[in-house]
């Protein structure tokens, strides 16, 4: 299964680099990647436009998918996702504030503020969840996330309308890779890749937590520290990804479920499989957004929603039956 996923990722990336508004031969694509000549215009198109956005789609797809897998593991909620639980909404809200009060900020500052917004959203979710009698539980965490997501999305919309930022913020709401450049990748790739590597030692604990809190406690798992570490990773993955391409939902919802079908319930396998399949999904979604109606581009979030919304409704219906 892993070999098939790796092959699918490499194939989808090569196809995504090859196809675009300007037709290029496969030989040109191959030489542009491995024998880059900056004096040739086709090589510049590949190297400066298509290659960075395809790499970004792969890494950010992996980040969103793994963040969703972690959320589903620690909350034991199959509907958990950074978009649904409000973390993406927190990042988008702070980006909206920065557009309103500090226009023209460098990209590094926007990335930092997006991360701070994700932290803000997570803190609000925790505070609201812990305020209920009985303390924080997985169900309360999920409900608190939905409430905070609705509140922050409403505030972002209000800021956009009041400061006439609807056009600027449309990108962050819908998501897209059109503005990605190498200088952006130099900032986001190290953070995302290091975080993806660091969470692997936590995979066994996440697997035990997904079996139930009592089981995890009896096996010696420190729930508080495991949950805190996992949520920190989720915040980093989601916040940095939103800062680069906007809020793209449903990747973290759909991909972990497909991964479980392929590799079982062990998070030592779910996390790497989710990263591969999430990368494939966003690479293909970005490709679809470019070729559906050229030279115009659809928002990547719309392409993912075509898959994510029916899948979400299917899961919601399935869970209601289970209850």
């Amino acid at each position: 299964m892993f070999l098939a996923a790796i092959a699918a990722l490499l194939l989808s990336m090569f196809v995504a680099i090859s196809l675009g508004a300007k037709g290029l031969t496969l030989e040109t694509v191959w030489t542009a990647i491995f024998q880059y000549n900056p004096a040739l215009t086709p090589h510049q198109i590949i190297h400066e436009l298509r290659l960075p956005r395809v790499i970004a789609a792969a890494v950010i797809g992996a980040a969103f998918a793994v963040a969703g897998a972690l959320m589903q593991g620690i909350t034991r909620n199959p509907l958990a996702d950074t978009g649904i639980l409000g973390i993406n909404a927190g990042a988008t809200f702070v980006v909206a504030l920065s557009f309103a009060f500090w226009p023209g900020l460098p990209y590094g500052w926007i990335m930092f503020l997006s991360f701070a917004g994700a932290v803000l959203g997570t803190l609000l979710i925790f505070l609201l969840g812990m305020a209920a009698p009985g303390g924080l539980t997985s169900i309360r965490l999920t409900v608190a996330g939905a409430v905070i997501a609705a509140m922050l999305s409403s505030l972002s919309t209000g800021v956009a309308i009041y400061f006439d930022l609807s056009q600027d913020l449309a990108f962050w709401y819908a998501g897209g890779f059109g503005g990605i450049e190498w200088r952006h990748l130099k900032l986001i790739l190290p953070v995302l890749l290091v975080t993806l590597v660091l969470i692997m030692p936590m995979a066994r604990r996440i697997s035990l937590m997904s079996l139930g809190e009592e089981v995890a406690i009896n096996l010696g798992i420190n729930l508080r520290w495991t949950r805190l570490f996992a949520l920190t990773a989720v915040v980093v993955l989601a916040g940095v990804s939103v800062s680069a391409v906007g809020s793209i939902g449903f990747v973290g919802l759909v991909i972990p479920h497909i991964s479980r079908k392929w590799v079982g319930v062990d998070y030592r396998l779910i996390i790497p499989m989710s990263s591969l399949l999430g990368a494939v999904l966003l690479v293909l979604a970005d490709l679809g957004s470019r070729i559906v109606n050229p030279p115009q581009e659809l928002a990547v979030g719309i392409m993912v929603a075509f898959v994510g919304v029916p899948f979400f409704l299917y899961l919601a219906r399935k869970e209601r039956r289970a209850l």
Side-chain angles (χ1 to χ4, degrees):
M1 286 297 181
F2 278 99
L3 291 178
I6 292 172
L9 175 59
L10 294 177
L11 179 62
S12 62
M13 290 180 71
F14 189 77
V15 172
I17 294 171
S18 303
L19 299 180
K22 182 176 176 56
L24 299 172
T25 64
L26 293 180
E27 181 183 1
T28 302
V29 174
W30 185 269
T31 55
I33 295 174
F34 296 104
Q35 299 174 7
Y36 175 58
N37 184 350
L40 300 176
T41 301
H43 283 206
Q44 291 179 357
I45 293 173
I46 295 294
H47 193 267
E48 300 300 329
L49 297 179
R50 296 183 189 176
L51 197 54
R53 72 182 293 166
V54 170
I55 293 174
V59 176
I60 290 173
F64 275 132
V66 171
L70 292 175
M71 290 296 293
Q72 292 175 16
I74 61 176
T75 63
R76 300 186 65 218
N77 182 348
L79 302 179
D81 172 50
T82 57
I84 296 172
L85 292 187
I87 297 175
N88 291 1
T92 304
F93 172 62
V94 175
V95 170
L97 290 180
S98 70
F99 281 12
F101 295 104
W102 307 289
L105 281 177
Y107 178 76
W109 274 102
I110 293 178
M111 190 174 84
F112 172 76
L113 290 173
S114 176
F115 171 74
V119 173
L120 171 67
T122 305
L123 288 177
L124 290 175
I125 293 167
F126 262 81
L127 291 175
L128 183 61
M130 289 189 295
L136 186 67
T137 64
S138 297
I139 295 297
R140 292 192 181 105
L141 187 67
T142 304
V143 174
V147 172
I148 294 300
M151 181 188 74
L152 292 176
S153 296
S154 300
L155 290 174
S156 299
T157 303
V159 170
I161 294 173
Y162 186 82
F163 289 95
D164 194 19
L165 297 171
S166 300
Q167 187 68 31
D168 295 331
L169 288 176
F171 165 79
W172 297 95
Y173 291 136
F177 294 91
I180 289 291
E181 300 175 3
W182 286 112
R183 61 189 178 93
H184 300 146
L185 289 180
K186 289 178 182 177
L187 289 175
I188 65 174
L189 284 185
V191 178
L192 294 180
L193 293 177
V194 168
T195 305
L196 289 172
V197 171
L198 289 179
I199 61 174
M200 280 309 299
M202 296 290 296
R204 178 179 171 273
R205 297 183 181 186
I206 301 295
S207 295
L208 296 177
M209 284 187 68
S210 69
L211 299 176
E213 293 184 354
E214 291 185 2
V215 173
I217 292 173
N218 290 334
L219 292 173
I221 301 299
N222 187 321
L223 293 181
R224 177 173 298 180
W225 283 109
T226 302
R227 189 175 285 144
L228 177 63
F229 188 89
L231 276 175
T232 301
V234 169
V235 167
V236 172
L237 294 173
V240 173
S241 298
V242 171
S243 73
V245 300
S247 179
I248 299 176
F250 297 110
V251 180
L253 172 68
V254 175
I255 295 300
H257 286 279
I258 298 175
S259 299
R260 284 190 200 92
K261 293 288 185 185
W262 280 25
V263 299
V265 296
D266 189 342
Y267 274 77
R268 288 174 293 186
L269 300 177
I270 290 175
I271 289 176
M273 180 57 76
S274 295
S275 66
L276 291 170
L277 297 183
V280 172
L281 176 61
L282 274 201
V283 168
L284 293 179
D286 178 51
L287 174 62
S289 71
R290 287 188 281 132
I291 65 174
V292 166
N293 185 31
Q296 303 295 325
E297 287 192 17
L298 290 178
V300 173
I302 295 175
M303 301 300 294
V304 177
F306 281 135
V307 177
V309 171
F311 197 82
F312 179 81
L313 294 176
Y314 163 74
L315 283 179
R317 184 181 177 86
K318 183 180 176 182
E319 288 304 306
R320 188 178 64 179
R321 286 179 176 176
L323 291 173

